[in-house]
Amino acid sequence: MAQRKSDSMDKARDTPSNMPADPSANKAAEASASSGIAKLTKRAAITQIIAAVVANITIISSGMGIGFPSIAMMELTNSTTSVALTESEASWFASITSIMCPFGGLLSGYLLDKVGRKRTLYCINIISVISWAIMSFASRTDASVLFVELIVARVIIGIAIGLSSTPASVYAAEVAHPLLRGRLTLLTAGCTGIGMLLVYSLGYMFKEDWRYVCTICGVFTGVSLITVIPLPESPSWLVGKRRPQDAERYLKVIRAIKEDNHPEIKAEIKSLEENVARFRSSETKKSSKLVQLKKPEVYKPLTIMCIFFLFQQFSGIFVIIVYAASFSVEAGVAIDPFLSAVLVGLTRVVTTILMSFISDKFGRRPPALFSGFGMACCMFGLAACAVFPVADTQYNWIPTALLVAFIFTATLGFLTLPFSMNAEVYPTKIRGFASGLTIFFGYTMSFIILKSYPTMVSAIGNENVFLFFGLIALLGIVFVYFFLPETKGRTLQDIEDYFRGGCKEANASDADKQASKA
């Protein structure tokens, strides 16, 4: 009986709310209720939400860094200003970040496992402050010096962006109760969107002073660094580092339990220790990260996530995010390009909030399928507007509507899901390394498409670039339908077992879920 309760608790502890429970969400809740962490009190829920939000405030600065080229590009390439960049220099300014993001992603995996979740967040904030400071005091008289300073700053912020792609979502997944985990792991995508919206809004307000925008962003990042100080470290990581006493102390804070030797806390710590021991027992003395990558529960999700990121990048999502203002001009949007960028950022933030509820109700696959279809339709529509311009007609609102609709549908699936799923599909022991490796691949693809975009427009024209993005989105639908597993309601252990055992079970689970609802 005790063993059965321990097993039940092990599953409930790892259950993300954004994965389909075997029969239904109600049964998942009942299973959780029989475990040691079932009592999600109001105080515990508030504590976990605050912890996840504080961890993700760090990500806002990274979102600012991603969107910054959009608001600075037009002034930096304006030949009437005292210093200006050439078209080639401007493309490097916009894309250099993506070169470093992959290395930041790999470094993220190392730091997550080596120094912990909290100290990794410290590193992100410190690196970001340095980058914003360099750009705030960039040269106003020498274009060559300005270019070097901007490139150095963007390289640094690129490392920070790569670093920030995983830690906050992993932290949220590890500290949250199963009933909260789904929504809290989406906070990373939401805070990235908030960061972009803020920098787009600042760019709209200070169109001719991007240095002042950098100063504001730097001050905000400094405040973010301070907020991380009281954050409790992840108990999962502490157990993995053989620090059970510290893990128990922080777990009591996260679960809002004051009593010493509380049975539910003891049971959860024991469950965490069993999970770590189970993984270590499968390793040989000469085992390495590369050896672990040969295991099906690692290489299968790694392959799926890397391909998902490939479709994300080559469907044009990050092109619009980074080149928002100039892309609006290319797409024939009639309103102020800076205001268009603000609409893009606002749409992403609102849709990310909706996504937290949609993923809980419908899972992963249906929103992703709808997302790919919507993105393809919007890109084909923009291609049609490029062939048949509507700028001087009564239909001049169509490109704006298509651009906003693209961001809306992209955020429902292809933009947010790769990042949120990256925090949950890998085994605990190798989660940091594998998720970092995935981010490395994703941002490598990002650099390729961002650096190629201006050349593609010059070589084949706007309409063909839009058609290319639309076709990639259609192929992404095929990939999602046949290969992306449904994970809503399944425990982290269930996901690991599924990848270890084969690929038929996960897609069948979606049908089981629909049948149980009926």
Side-chain angles (χ1 to χ4, degrees), residues 104-415:
L106 287 180
L107 182 59
S108 172
Y110 172 79
L111 291 177
L112 280 172
D113 290 337
K114 191 71 175 178
V115 303
R117 288 42 169 157
K118 181 176 177 178
R119 290 179 181 174
T120 303
L121 294 175
Y122 282 146
C123 292
I124 295 170
N125 283 297
I126 292 171
I127 293 173
S128 297
V129 168
I130 294 172
S131 174
W132 292 119
I134 293 174
M135 289 191 288
S136 296
F137 299 101
S139 175
R140 295 176 181 269
T141 57
D142 192 320
S144 298
V145 174
L146 172 66
F147 175 66
V148 172
E149 289 173 334
L150 289 177
I151 291 300
V152 170
R154 295 299 291 170
V155 165
I156 294 173
I157 199 70
I159 295 174
I161 294 170
L163 271 173
S164 67
S165 299
T166 303
S169 56
V170 167
Y171 179 83
E174 291 178 343
V175 304
H177 187 280
L179 299 178
L180 295 175
R181 184 176 289 129
R183 296 176 184 179
L184 295 186
T185 54
L186 282 171
L187 278 174
T188 296
C191 288
T192 302
I194 291 173
M196 288 188 290
L197 175 59
L198 288 176
V199 83
Y200 291 157
S201 300
L202 290 171
Y204 180 66
M205 291 185 288
F206 308 104
K207 295 180 181 179
E208 297 179 358
D209 196 352
W210 53 264
R211 291 178 181 82
Y212 187 64
V213 173
C214 291
T215 301
I216 295 174
C217 293
V219 171
F220 178 88
T221 307
V223 174
S224 172
L225 174 61
I226 296 173
T227 63
V228 176
I229 295 175
L231 202 66
E233 181 55 271
S234 164
S236 297
W237 180 79
L238 291 169
V239 168
K241 291 299 179 180
R242 294 184 172 90
R243 295 167 57 184
Q245 292 182 343
D246 289 335
E248 182 176 344
R249 176 162 56 93
Y250 286 125
L251 187 60
K252 286 168 61 179
V253 174
I254 294 167
R255 303 294 182 226
I257 293 175
K258 294 183 178 180
E259 300 94 318
D260 293 330
N261 299 317
H262 195 282
E264 292 179 357
I265 295 297
K266 291 291 185 183
E268 188 168 355
I269 291 295
K270 181 180 179 181
S271 176
L272 289 169
E273 291 174 336
E274 289 173 350
N275 282 345
V276 173
R278 185 162 48 245
F279 189 90
R280 285 173 177 161
S281 67
S282 66
E283 297 178 330
T284 63
K285 292 182 179 180
K286 297 182 179 181
S287 179
S288 66
K289 300 293 186 185
L290 293 178
V291 172
Q292 297 302 317
L293 290 177
K294 296 179 181 179
K295 295 182 177 181
E297 62 269 29
V298 179
Y299 75 74
K300 286 182 180 180
L302 181 64
T303 302
I304 290 173
M305 295 310 301
C306 284
I307 296 175
F308 203 3
F309 269 104
L310 186 147
F311 283 113
Q312 178 201 68
Q313 296 297 334
F314 282 84
S315 59
I317 299 173
F318 271 55
V319 168
I320 294 180
I321 289 173
V322 173
Y323 291 97
S326 57
F327 185 90
S328 299
V329 176
E330 300 287 352
V333 172
I335 62 175
D336 184 310
F338 288 96
L339 181 58
S340 176
V342 173
L343 287 177
V344 167
L346 181 61
T347 302
R348 179 176 176 181
V349 171
V350 173
T351 311
T352 302
I353 296 172
L354 292 176
M355 184 62 186
S356 66
F357 297 96
I358 291 172
S359 64
D360 276 350
K361 185 172 180 61
F362 298 104
R364 305 297 194 164
R365 287 163 52 82
L369 292 170
F370 175 78
S371 175
F373 178 76
M375 291 162 58
C377 290
C378 292
M379 279 299 170
F380 292 149
L382 287 174
C385 290
V387 176
F388 307 102
V390 296
D392 299 324
T393 72
Q394 60 180 330
Y395 303 107
N396 58 1
W397 54 270
I398 292 179
T400 304
L402 289 172
L403 184 61
V404 171
F406 178 87
I407 293 297
F408 174 79
T409 54
T411 306
L412 285 179
F414 276 50
L415 178 58

Side-chain angles (χ1 to χ4, degrees), residues 20-28 489-490 509 512-517:
D22 192 357
S24 67
N26 289 335
K27 282 195 174 182
R490 292 186 176 274
S509 70
D512 292 341
K513 181 190 72 169
Q514 299 299 333
S516 68
K517 284 186 177 181

